[in-house]
Amino acid sequence: MDKQFIAQQEIETFTRTAFQKKPYLFEKVDASGLLCWDDINYLLEKDILDYPRIRLANDSNPAIRGYRGFVSYTLSVTGEKSPHVNRYNLLKSLQSGSTLIIDRCQAYFENVRKVTDYLSSQLRCRSTANLYCAWSSTPSFGLHFDNHDVIAVQIEGVKLWDIHAPTHPYPLLSDKSFDFTPPAGEPMMTLRIEPGQAVYLPAGYWHNVRTEGERSLHISFPVIRPRKLDVIKTVLDSLARYPELREPVAFSSSASDNASLQMMLTECLKEIDIDLWESAIIQDCMQQRYVKFNLPDIRTRDVRN
């Protein structure tokens, strides 16, 4: 991934016209070198994936979402329990229309991780990556919305995206689409996403995705940015430094006490720099939370120690 994932001119057009506003089709992204089937097969053979990091979805069989029978456990040569992807059970599920999903796959594929870093830098966000492999036209989740923005990059095959307008704009991370009534009627648009293209959906847009053809491979990049509520919550937390506001509410409150509290709160809020707090929260959000290691070279240590 030495080349730019998205051309700078297009990313600028996207952030100016569509980001956090409406769906957007990236006509050309550099998906070459992200990963291939050999990479996925090798990962499945390594006995390091466990449920629910690796999971299945099938809109025709909702129970498959909780199915973990394709992961078995064996003992290593030293007697430790380790997960093992059962080839027969996995293939049987995939042949029945299930989609294979590997969450946070940037941890396994270096070029995918580079894209999450790129998106974090360009969109001032936190990003991760989820891998979807499908061999049938059966949708994975049916009509649903995500509680975060997403950029889905098509690597192989073709996906059809039926997109509906939000019924619950700007959902919080605690909001789940199955708690809401899906929209009726025809979608506002249907996008046909081919290899080398990507679709962007803001949080809250309902969508149903299905495979056109024999198989599909795509990566979905969640885009997480702070909300205005996050800024307000942080500002409120900062008020804890004032002893007057930490004081318990009076046992017998009075209008004068409440007026005094109102005045005190107003004066405290005057000292808050919203721009500064917002900038700090965005910078914190962009941190990918990688744990950096810098283990010393044991060859340089003094063996006498």
Side-chain angles (χ1 to χ4, degrees), residues 105-119:
C105 67
Q106 77 278 4
Y108 308 114
F109 307 112
E110 179 63 15
N111 284 337
V112 177
R113 185 196 63 77
K114 290 180 180 179
V115 173
T116 63
D117 289 346
Y118 168 83
L119 293 176

Side-chain angles (χ1 to χ4, degrees), residues 26 60 62 73 99 110 120 172 226 233 288:
F26 291 95
S60 298
Y73 298 89
T99 295
E110 179 63 15
S120 175
L172 300 175
K233 289 176 181 177
Q288 293 287 13

Side-chain angles (χ1 to χ4, degrees), residues 169-205:
Y170 310 111
L172 300 175
L173 293 180
S174 58
D175 293 329
K176 308 297 181 184
S177 62
F178 52 73
D179 291 327
F180 297 85
T181 302
E186 296 298 315
M188 60 182 290
M189 67 175 70
T190 296
L191 296 179
R192 186 175 185 271
I193 310 300
E194 301 181 348
Q197 294 181 324
V199 59
Y200 162 77
L201 282 187
Y205 274 81

Side-chain angles (χ1 to χ4, degrees), residues 190-293:
T190 296
L191 296 179
R192 186 175 185 271
I193 310 300
E194 301 181 348
Q197 294 181 324
V199 59
Y200 162 77
L201 282 187
Y205 274 81
W206 293 84
H207 55 283
N208 193 15
V209 186
R210 61 191 189 278
T211 299
E212 180 183 89
E214 295 183 354
R215 67 188 185 195
S216 167
L217 175 62
H218 85 267
I219 298 179
S220 176
F221 293 92
V223 173
I224 312 295
R225 297 198 80 246
R227 315 293 182 95
K228 293 180 180 179
L229 273 177
D230 297 321
V231 179
I232 295 173
K233 289 176 181 177
T234 303
V235 169
L236 289 176
D237 289 341
S238 74
L239 297 179
R241 70 180 186 271
Y242 295 98
E244 299 87 352
L245 297 179
R246 298 197 303 269
E247 182 182 351
V249 174
F251 179 74
S252 300
S253 62
S254 66
S256 60
D257 288 339
N258 291 336
S260 176
L261 176 61
Q262 179 70 52
M263 184 180 302
M264 188 186 312
L265 184 60
T266 301
E267 291 302 315
C268 291
L269 289 176
K270 286 181 180 179
E271 300 178 13
I272 298 295
D273 186 336
I274 293 294
D275 291 338
L276 182 62
W277 280 107
E278 183 179 85
S279 177
I281 288 177
I282 291 174
Q283 289 301 317
D284 181 70
C285 177
M286 291 173 63
Q287 301 301 315
Q288 293 287 13
R289 297 297 188 270
Y290 297 133
V291 177
K292 303 292 185 180
F293 283 91

